[in-house]
Amino acid sequence: MKMKLRILALVALLFATAAIADEDLPQTCSWTSIEKDPSLKEMIYDVGDGPKPFQAYVEPPLESFYKGDPPSKTRVVPKFNGLAGKFVNMSNKNLNFYWESAVGGAVHLMRHYKPFSTGGTGTFPGHRFFFSPDNDPDTRVKEFVVGEYPQNYYVYDPYFVEGDPVQTEKNLKANLNKKERKQYDKWRKTLLFNEQYLNFTGRSYLANYLDDGPRKAPSHFMWPADYFGQEHWVVTKETHFDRLPPSDDLDPILITGTKRVLKDGDPRILQEYRVKDEPYMNMTLKVLSVIPRVFEIQNFLSPTEIDHILDLAGGIELHESTTGDVGTDRGSDRTKGLERKTKTRTSKNSWVPREKSPIIDAIYRRAADLTRIDEALLRSRDKDEHPEVPTKRKVCEELQLVHYGPEQEYTAHHDFGHTHIDDNLAGARFATILFYLNEGMEGGHTSFPRYVNGESFHELAVKPEAGKAVLFYSQLPDGNMDDFSQHAAKPIIEGEKWLINLWIWDPVKDTEDE
Ligand SMILES: *[C@@H]1O[C@H](CO)[C@@H](O)[C@H](O)[C@H]1NC(C)=O
Ligand SMILES: *[C@@H]1O[C@H](CO)[C@@H](O)[C@H](O)[C@H]1NC(C)=O
Ligand SMILES: *[C@@H]1O[C@H](CO)[C@@H](O)[C@H](O)[C@H]1NC(C)=O
C-alpha cells in the first residue's frame, strides 16, 4: 500500500514537472540558464566614497577556448596592434581634436569636443593627436602619442598638478563653476575606477562611471562563447519566405504598438509564402571567437528574402558612407555632413526601416528570436509595453544596407561610441548582426584582427556567403565596452559585396532615427 502511494506520488510529480517544462519553460533554445556569467568576478573598488563591490568581467584562461587540447597555453600576439583610444576633455574649454599623420605632418580635424566630453577612435601605438581651442587652432593645448594596449586613455586636464592636491584644488576653484566641478569630479571617478578595473581585469574601463556607480550590465541576454566551434541553437516561428508575395502584399506596415504582437498560436505574416509544413526554423549559432564573442549563423536569410532586399535596394539611393571621425561628442559612426579626408570607409549605404515591408519585419522578428530579445523592443511601443525600459525609444537602428565595390573597404573600427559624462543612461551599441546578401567576390571578408587565440597572429576572417549572418557583441557582460570587438571590412579585390547591418543598443539608442 505504502509502495503504491509512493509510486502515485512519483507519477504526479513527474506530471507536474512535465507540465512546467511544456508550458512555462518551452525548450526553444539550447541554453536557458539565467545564472550569472561565469566570467564575472567580484571586485572591491573605492573611488573616494568607500569600498563597494562590482561584478567585473575577467577573461577566461586561453586553455578553456579549445574543446580538446589547446595548441598552446599562451596567447599569440596579433599582428594588428590597434586599440580603442578614448580621449577626454577635462577642461571647461571648447576644443577641437586633431590627428597628425606621421607622413608630412598633415593634420586632420577629427571632431569638436564640448566641455567635459569624450570621444574615441580606433588608433595605433605611435599615432599622434592634439587638442586645440576652438578659436585658436594654432595653439596645441595638449598633444598625445598613443601607447600600446591597454593604454586606452588620453586625458586633457589643465587643472591637475601631479603630487600637489592643494594646488590642483586651487586651480579647480579658480576655473570651474559648480556645474563644471561636478562634471570634473565624475571624470576623476571614472579615471580612478579605470585604474582599479585595469588592475583587476587587465582591461581598461571604456565606459563612464555614472552618478550611481559603474555603467550597468547589459539588460539583454548574451549568448555564451566558451570555446571555438561551440554550437547553440534557437528556434523561431519566423520561417523562411520561399516565394515572393505579390507586390500588393508588400506595402509598408502602418499598424503600431501592441497591434503588431503575434501570439504564439497566430500564423506569421504572409505565412502562405513561407516554407510549407515547417512550423518553426532551427537556427544554429557557431562560435567563431571567444574574445570577442563572434557567432556565425548559416542560412539566416532565404534566397527569396535576399532577392526582396536587393530589389528594394534598386529603388533606394545609396550615399557615400561617412564615419564619425568629425562630429560632436556622440562618437559613433552616424555623423553626417562633415567628412574626414582620410579613407576609413569607402562603401555606400542607405537605411531601411523595419516597417518598409512585411519581409523586412519578419527579418527583424527572426533577429529578435536569434538574440532572444522581445521583438517589441525593436520597434516603437505602446505605453504598457516594456515600461521597465528607461525611454520609449527602441533598442535598435534601422537596417543599414551597404554596398562595397572594387577596392572599397572599411578599416578596423569599433561599433560602440562614448557618451557625455552627464549622460546617466549611457546608451551604446550592444550587438551587431551582419547579413550577407551575396558571395563569390574576391576579398571583402569581415575581419576581427584582435581575436584571442593560441595559434595564429592573423586576423579571424569571415567569408561572406549569401544568407549567412554574423553576430558579435560590442559590450562585455559587466557593461564595459569590448575593445577586442574591433573589426574591419577588408577591401574587395574583385566583384562586389552587399550586406545589411543591424545594430542593437543597450539600454536604448540615444536619438530617434535619422
Ligand atoms: C573641453 O571642455 C570644455 C568645457 O566643457 C569645452 O569648452 C571645450 O571646448 C572642450 N574641449 C575639447 C577639445 O573638447
Ligand atoms: C592593484 O592590485 C594590487 C594587488 O591586488 C594592489 O596591491 C594594488 O593596490 C592595486 N592598485 C590599484 C590602483 O588598485
Ligand atoms: C535544433 O537543432 C539541434 C541540432 O543542431 C538539435 O539538437 C535540436 O534538438 C533542434 N531543436 C529543435 C527544437 O528542433
Side-chain angles (χ1 to χ4, degrees):
M1 188 62 195
K2 240 182 178 173
M3 186 69 173
K4 217 172 178 182
L5 264 180
R6 252 193 234 148
I7 290 172
L8 271 178
L10 192 68
V11 169
L13 189 74
L14 277 176
F15 265 107
T17 359
I20 287 169
D22 281 344
E23 276 170 41
D24 299 332
L25 298 169
Q27 179 76 357
T28 51
C29 69
S30 53
W31 200 85
T32 50
S33 170
I34 48 157
E35 275 170 31
K36 93 169 192 199
D37 197 292
S39 57
L40 293 174
K41 312 277 181 220
E42 183 170 274
M43 148 189 163
I44 305 292
Y45 71 93
D46 189 341
V47 289
D49 39 18
K52 289 177 189 155
F54 176 69
Q55 297 294 326
Y57 172 80
V58 178
E59 293 174 357
L62 180 70
E63 295 114 278
S64 68
F65 292 17
Y66 293 88
K67 186 76 191 285
D69 283 339
S72 96
K73 289 197 170 168
T74 48
R75 290 182 179 201
V76 175
V77 178
K79 193 162 81 178
F80 177 93
N81 65 349
L83 69 160
K86 183 173 178 181
F87 300 85
V88 185
N89 171 17
M90 282 178 68
S91 81
N92 63 1
K93 313 273 184 322
N94 279 294
L95 304 178
N96 287 327
F97 178 60
Y98 293 87
W99 172 55
E100 181 173 14
S101 79
V103 192
V107 298
H108 307 277
L109 178 64
M110 303 282 290
R111 69 183 72 227
H112 311 288
Y113 272 61
K114 292 195 204 118
F116 301 105
S117 63
T118 178
T121 182
T123 182
F124 293 90
H127 271 196
R128 308 175 72 89
F129 295 90
F130 62 90
F131 278 133
S132 285
D134 232 6
N135 51 5
D136 183 10
D138 295 331
T139 302
R140 300 183 178 194
V141 292
K142 179 81 183 177
E143 295 184 307
F144 305 105
V145 180
V146 172
E148 302 215 350
Y149 174 82
Q151 279 175 260
N152 299 78
Y153 268 92
Y154 299 90
V155 176
Y156 171 54
D157 178 350
Y159 317 115
F160 181 75
V161 184
E162 181 79 50
D164 193 345
V166 177
Q167 188 56 48
T168 301
E169 189 56 36
K170 268 191 200 160
N171 293 344
L172 290 168
K173 284 224 163 79
N175 287 287
L176 303 184
N177 65 29
K178 219 167 142 191
K179 182 179 168 220
E180 291 168 344
R181 180 57 192 267
K182 237 180 120 188
Q183 294 173 315
Y184 181 91
D185 288 344
K186 277 202 264 184
W187 271 120
R188 273 279 145 231
K189 281 190 180 179
T190 299
L191 296 176
L192 269 172
F193 185 77
N194 175 54
E195 268 175 41
Q196 296 164 52
Y197 182 92
L198 179 60
N199 200 22
F200 190 81
T201 68
R203 285 182 180 239
S204 292
Y205 190 66
L206 294 172
N208 292 346
Y209 192 89
L210 309 174
D211 276 345
D212 52 354
R215 187 176 185 278
K216 286 194 183 50
S219 58
H220 304 313
F221 171 81
M222 282 181 89
W223 284 105
D226 300 322
Y227 54 88
F228 292 108
Q230 182 183 23
E231 287 186 356
H232 307 295
W233 60 263
V234 55
V235 297
T236 178
K237 291 191 169 164
E238 292 296 335
T239 53
H240 278 152
F241 281 82
D242 65 355
R243 270 180 316 137
L244 204 57
S247 55
D248 282 359
D249 284 343
L250 291 176
D251 285 343
I253 295 171
L254 300 174
I255 55 169
T256 59
T258 44
K259 289 201 196 82
R260 289 176 69 182
V261 172
L262 295 173
K263 297 207 188 63
D264 242 18
D266 291 349
R268 302 297 104 171
I269 298 166
L270 297 171
Q271 185 78 56
E272 61 273 33
Y273 296 96
R274 306 194 189 209
V275 181
K276 279 220 166 23
D277 303 324
E278 242 182 49
Y280 63 82
M281 172 177 147
N282 190 351
M283 302 182 280
T284 303
L285 296 99
K286 186 172 159 199
V287 172
L288 299 183
S289 165
V290 179
I291 299 176
R293 288 189 194 189
V294 183
F295 307 84
E296 156 182 286
I297 305 95
Q298 296 286 354
N299 301 316
F300 185 94
L301 298 176
S302 72
T304 303
E305 290 156 1
I306 290 175
D307 285 348
H308 173 66
I309 299 166
L310 291 176
D311 214 36
L312 289 180
I316 289 173
E317 200 189 332
L318 297 175
H319 302 279
E320 298 279 343
S321 304
T322 55
T323 69
D325 287 336
V326 166
T328 61
D329 53 323
R330 275 303 178 187
S332 68
D333 304 340
R334 291 153 295 127
T335 315
K336 291 190 172 141
L338 292 153
E339 212 167 330
R340 193 176 151 195
K341 285 164 200 75
T342 50
K343 288 223 180 312
T344 307
R345 187 174 191 185
T346 48
S347 54
K348 287 189 167 193
N349 70 32
S350 184
W351 301 90
V352 184
R354 172 171 165 179
E355 291 72 24
K356 181 92 180 168
S357 85
I359 296 182
I360 302 293
D361 181 66
I363 292 167
Y364 268 85
R365 289 174 189 266
R366 194 181 297 151
D369 289 341
L370 180 75
T371 49
R372 302 188 57 210
I373 293 173
D374 184 359
E375 63 80 25
L377 292 172
L378 307 185
R379 55 168 167 77
S380 60
R381 307 186 303 281
D382 284 345
K383 259 198 211 70
D384 52 344
E385 292 185 286
H386 292 281
E388 82 286 0
V389 176
T391 78
K392 296 310 292 170
R393 290 177 214 142
K394 54 190 174 194
V395 307
C396 66
E397 294 172 54
E398 295 185 344
L399 286 179
Q400 191 192 41
L401 174 69
V402 192
H403 177 261
Y404 292 89
E407 289 171 42
Q408 293 186 328
E409 66 177 321
Y410 192 177
T411 58
H413 62 281
H414 298 87
D415 280 358
F416 58 77
H418 297 280
T419 48
H420 192 274
I421 196 69
D422 280 343
D423 180 354
N424 271 304
L425 217 46
R429 282 180 178 158
F430 164 72
T432 301
I433 315 178
L434 314 171
F435 308 90
Y436 300 113
L437 303 179
N438 72 328
E439 59 189 31
M441 71 293 293
E442 204 184 320
H445 293 74
T446 302
S447 152
F448 295 87
R450 298 167 69 189
Y451 87 114
V452 175
N453 72 93
E455 45 204 317
S456 165
F457 59 75
H458 293 298
E459 66 202 359
L460 168 69
V462 185
K463 195 180 167 68
E465 290 173 273
K468 182 164 86 177
V470 171
L471 162 70
F472 65 91
Y473 295 106
S474 288
Q475 293 182 22
L476 294 168
D478 64 1
N480 190 10
M481 308 298 141
D482 187 358
D483 194 358
F484 289 80
S485 64
Q486 198 168 12
H487 56 283
K490 305 296 284 182
I492 302 284
I493 296 164
E494 208 180 294
E496 58 176 350
K497 177 166 76 163
W498 285 96
L499 81 158
I500 49 181
N501 287 311
L502 178 61
W503 285 292
I504 297 171
W505 285 62
D506 195 88
V508 286
K509 190 175 177 317
D510 57 352
T511 53
E512 263 318 327
D513 281 320
E514 34 276 288

Short mmCIF file of all heavy atoms in Angstrom, two decimals, residues 27-30 231-235 280-285, ligand 3:
data_model
loop_
_atom_site.label_atom_id
_atom_site.label_comp_id
_atom_site.label_asym_id
_atom_site.label_seq_id
_atom_site.Cartn_x
_atom_site.Cartn_y
_atom_site.Cartn_z
N GLN A 27 11.25 24.52 -24.45
CA GLN A 27 12.66 24.41 -24.84
C GLN A 27 12.80 24.98 -26.24
O GLN A 27 12.66 24.27 -27.23
CB GLN A 27 13.09 22.94 -24.77
CG GLN A 27 14.53 22.66 -25.17
CD GLN A 27 15.53 23.06 -24.10
OE1 GLN A 27 15.17 23.60 -23.07
NE2 GLN A 27 16.80 22.83 -24.36
N THR A 28 13.03 26.28 -26.31
CA THR A 28 13.13 26.90 -27.62
C THR A 28 14.58 27.19 -27.98
O THR A 28 14.87 27.68 -29.05
CB THR A 28 12.36 28.23 -27.67
OG1 THR A 28 12.79 29.01 -26.56
CG2 THR A 28 10.87 28.01 -27.60
N CYS A 29 15.47 26.89 -27.05
CA CYS A 29 16.87 27.09 -27.39
C CYS A 29 17.71 26.22 -26.47
O CYS A 29 17.22 25.66 -25.50
CB CYS A 29 17.27 28.55 -27.28
SG CYS A 29 17.27 29.15 -25.60
N SER A 30 19.02 26.13 -26.80
CA SER A 30 19.87 25.17 -26.14
C SER A 30 20.41 25.67 -24.81
O SER A 30 21.08 24.95 -24.10
CB SER A 30 21.04 24.82 -27.06
OG SER A 30 21.67 26.01 -27.47
N GLU A 231 28.40 25.14 -30.30
CA GLU A 231 27.17 25.44 -31.02
C GLU A 231 26.01 25.64 -30.07
O GLU A 231 25.89 24.92 -29.08
CB GLU A 231 26.84 24.32 -32.01
CG GLU A 231 27.76 24.33 -33.21
CD GLU A 231 27.38 23.33 -34.30
OE1 GLU A 231 26.44 22.54 -34.10
OE2 GLU A 231 28.06 23.36 -35.34
N HIS A 232 25.19 26.64 -30.36
CA HIS A 232 23.93 26.85 -29.66
C HIS A 232 22.84 26.77 -30.72
O HIS A 232 23.10 27.00 -31.89
CB HIS A 232 23.86 28.24 -29.04
CG HIS A 232 25.02 28.57 -28.16
ND1 HIS A 232 25.29 27.92 -26.99
CD2 HIS A 232 26.00 29.52 -28.29
CE1 HIS A 232 26.36 28.43 -26.44
NE2 HIS A 232 26.81 29.39 -27.20
N TRP A 233 21.62 26.47 -30.29
CA TRP A 233 20.52 26.54 -31.25
C TRP A 233 19.35 27.26 -30.63
O TRP A 233 19.18 27.30 -29.41
CB TRP A 233 20.13 25.16 -31.78
CG TRP A 233 19.69 24.17 -30.74
CD1 TRP A 233 20.47 23.22 -30.15
CD2 TRP A 233 18.38 24.04 -30.18
NE1 TRP A 233 19.73 22.51 -29.25
CE2 TRP A 233 18.44 22.98 -29.25
CE3 TRP A 233 17.16 24.70 -30.37
CZ2 TRP A 233 17.33 22.57 -28.50
CZ3 TRP A 233 16.06 24.29 -29.63
CH2 TRP A 233 16.15 23.24 -28.71
N VAL A 234 18.55 27.86 -31.49
CA VAL A 234 17.36 28.58 -31.04
C VAL A 234 16.32 28.46 -32.16
O VAL A 234 16.66 28.53 -33.35
CB VAL A 234 17.70 30.05 -30.69
CG1 VAL A 234 18.36 30.78 -31.84
CG2 VAL A 234 16.45 30.82 -30.24
N VAL A 235 15.07 28.21 -31.79
CA VAL A 235 14.05 28.07 -32.82
C VAL A 235 13.26 29.37 -32.96
O VAL A 235 13.13 30.15 -32.02
CB VAL A 235 13.09 26.89 -32.56
CG1 VAL A 235 13.84 25.58 -32.59
CG2 VAL A 235 12.33 27.06 -31.26
N TYR A 280 8.42 25.76 -37.48
CA TYR A 280 9.49 26.61 -36.95
C TYR A 280 10.78 26.33 -37.71
O TYR A 280 10.89 25.36 -38.45
CB TYR A 280 9.68 26.39 -35.44
CG TYR A 280 10.10 24.99 -35.06
CD1 TYR A 280 11.44 24.60 -35.15
CD2 TYR A 280 9.17 24.06 -34.62
CE1 TYR A 280 11.83 23.32 -34.82
CE2 TYR A 280 9.55 22.77 -34.29
CZ TYR A 280 10.89 22.40 -34.39
OH TYR A 280 11.28 21.14 -34.08
N MET A 281 11.73 27.20 -37.48
CA MET A 281 13.04 27.06 -38.12
C MET A 281 14.07 27.01 -36.99
O MET A 281 13.95 27.75 -36.00
CB MET A 281 13.23 28.29 -39.00
CG MET A 281 14.57 28.49 -39.61
SD MET A 281 14.41 29.99 -40.66
CE MET A 281 16.06 30.64 -40.49
N ASN A 282 15.03 26.14 -37.13
CA ASN A 282 16.03 25.90 -36.08
C ASN A 282 17.34 26.57 -36.50
O ASN A 282 17.96 26.17 -37.47
CB ASN A 282 16.18 24.38 -35.93
CG ASN A 282 16.99 23.96 -34.74
OD1 ASN A 282 17.60 24.80 -34.08
ND2 ASN A 282 17.00 22.67 -34.44
N MET A 283 17.75 27.59 -35.77
CA MET A 283 18.97 28.32 -36.16
C MET A 283 20.14 27.87 -35.28
O MET A 283 19.99 27.76 -34.06
CB MET A 283 18.76 29.83 -35.97
CG MET A 283 17.58 30.38 -36.76
SD MET A 283 17.37 32.18 -36.56
CE MET A 283 16.52 32.27 -34.99
N THR A 284 21.26 27.63 -35.90
CA THR A 284 22.46 27.22 -35.15
C THR A 284 23.46 28.37 -35.12
O THR A 284 23.82 28.92 -36.15
CB THR A 284 23.13 25.99 -35.80
OG1 THR A 284 22.15 24.96 -35.87
CG2 THR A 284 24.31 25.52 -35.00
N LEU A 285 23.88 28.72 -33.91
CA LEU A 285 24.93 29.73 -33.75
C LEU A 285 26.23 29.00 -33.46
O LEU A 285 26.30 28.22 -32.50
CB LEU A 285 24.65 30.66 -32.57
CG LEU A 285 23.43 31.55 -32.60
CD1 LEU A 285 22.30 30.91 -31.80
CD2 LEU A 285 23.75 32.92 -32.03
C1 LIG B 3 17.73 22.12 -33.30
O1 LIG B 3 18.91 21.54 -33.85
C2 LIG B 3 19.77 20.93 -32.89
C3 LIG B 3 20.98 20.41 -33.63
O2 LIG B 3 21.61 21.40 -34.35
C4 LIG B 3 19.08 19.84 -32.16
O3 LIG B 3 19.92 19.29 -31.18
C5 LIG B 3 17.82 20.38 -31.50
O4 LIG B 3 17.11 19.36 -30.88
C6 LIG B 3 16.95 21.05 -32.54
N1 LIG B 3 15.82 21.64 -31.84
C7 LIG B 3 14.57 21.55 -32.26
C8 LIG B 3 13.52 22.13 -31.38
O5 LIG B 3 14.29 21.04 -33.33
#
